[in-house]
Amino acid sequence: MGDLLLVRHGETEWSRSGRHTGWTDVPLTEHGREEARRLMPLIRSHRIGAAFVSPLRRARETAELIGLHEVPDVAVDTDLREWDYGGYEGVTTVEIQRERPGWFLFTDGVAPGPPDHPGESPEQVGRRADRMLAKADAALAQTEGAVVLVAHGHFLRVLTARWLGLPAADGALFQLATGAVCRLGTEHGRPVIAGWNVRPGP
């Protein structure tokens, strides 16, 4: 069975300024597009059997720039969307902590948002990650190559925690930069992190 490759999208204006970016469909910056292009050799060093991409523009653009349009089996999947930050959409951690000193996303969750984006708890994001991992496992079982997931920082951190059998809140342990690749695999039948936060050199 192949590995699971996680790709966080390239930089956006909101990621650069630290604003929580859930459903807001912001595009990549030019620097973000360059981050994505530079990942192509890393992706092409693997045999890719299938790929899943978040429906948000920043992820879809990253997928295109890393060459996934050449992969026959690519699916856009809403389970890969970023954490629904509810009332904290577009707000920075510094701004939130002025109102809630010591606030931490992975343990405290978010403030309620509008009806169409009410916010998600860490546990809800974890359940969504579990669904995504089940789909990825099924794809891995049907191909000899790797499966690529192109998505978002906080969601991929939760997904990694769940891959390892850890609570969703333990996604806090895994820092993940924009335009980075991670590799999840197994050793002696047990889930492991085989590579983390890999970015091309200068």
Side-chain angles (χ1 to χ4, degrees):
M1 184 182 294
D3 291 331
L4 190 57
L5 301 180
L6 313 182
V7 179
R8 184 183 176 192
H9 63 76
E11 179 197 77
T12 69
E13 292 286 354
W14 280 28
S15 70
R16 182 166 61 191
S17 61
R19 299 172 70 181
H20 286 89
T21 319
W23 70 82
T24 305
D25 212 4
V26 294
L28 299 180
T29 61
E30 185 51 47
H31 176 66
R33 286 188 282 274
E34 182 58 26
E35 284 183 319
R37 291 185 194 101
R38 291 176 63 199
L39 291 179
M40 186 181 289
L42 289 176
I43 299 301
R44 286 187 168 173
S45 69
H46 297 270
R47 178 180 176 187
I48 307 301
F52 296 88
V53 181
S54 162
L56 293 168
R57 177 179 175 183
R58 55 195 184 272
R60 290 187 289 108
E61 189 175 1
T62 297
E64 179 78 14
L65 291 169
I66 65 176
L68 290 187
H69 58 282
E70 299 175 4
V71 176
D73 188 6
V74 179
V76 174
D77 197 303
T78 58
D79 276 338
L80 280 174
R81 68 190 185 279
E82 181 59 297
W83 198 313
D84 182 342
Y85 299 119
Y88 291 156
E89 181 76 6
V91 186
T92 68
T93 296
V94 170
E95 291 168 334
I96 296 167
Q97 289 180 341
R98 289 189 191 127
E99 303 292 328
R100 294 179 63 181
W103 174 83
F104 188 53
L105 173 67
F106 286 95
T107 52
D108 299 323
V110 301
D116 52 342
H117 293 290
E120 289 178 295
S121 68
E123 294 75 21
Q124 287 173 314
V125 180
R127 287 193 289 273
R128 187 153 54 82
D130 288 345
R131 290 199 303 269
M132 195 64 241
L133 284 171
K135 298 172 197 177
D137 282 342
L140 284 168
Q142 296 172 13
T143 179
E144 295 180 1
V147 170
V148 181
L149 306 182
V150 183
H152 311 273
H154 284 142
F155 177 76
L156 290 176
R157 292 166 68 176
V158 170
L159 182 139
T160 298
R162 298 303 301 139
W163 172 266
L164 297 172
L166 300 173
D170 283 350
L173 300 172
F174 311 111
Q175 187 182 54
L176 181 53
T178 56
V181 177
C182 307
R183 184 162 61 93
L184 306 182
T186 58
E187 183 179 50
H188 307 303
R190 296 179 179 272
V192 297
I193 297 175
W196 188 258
N197 217 20
V198 178
R199 304 171 86 185

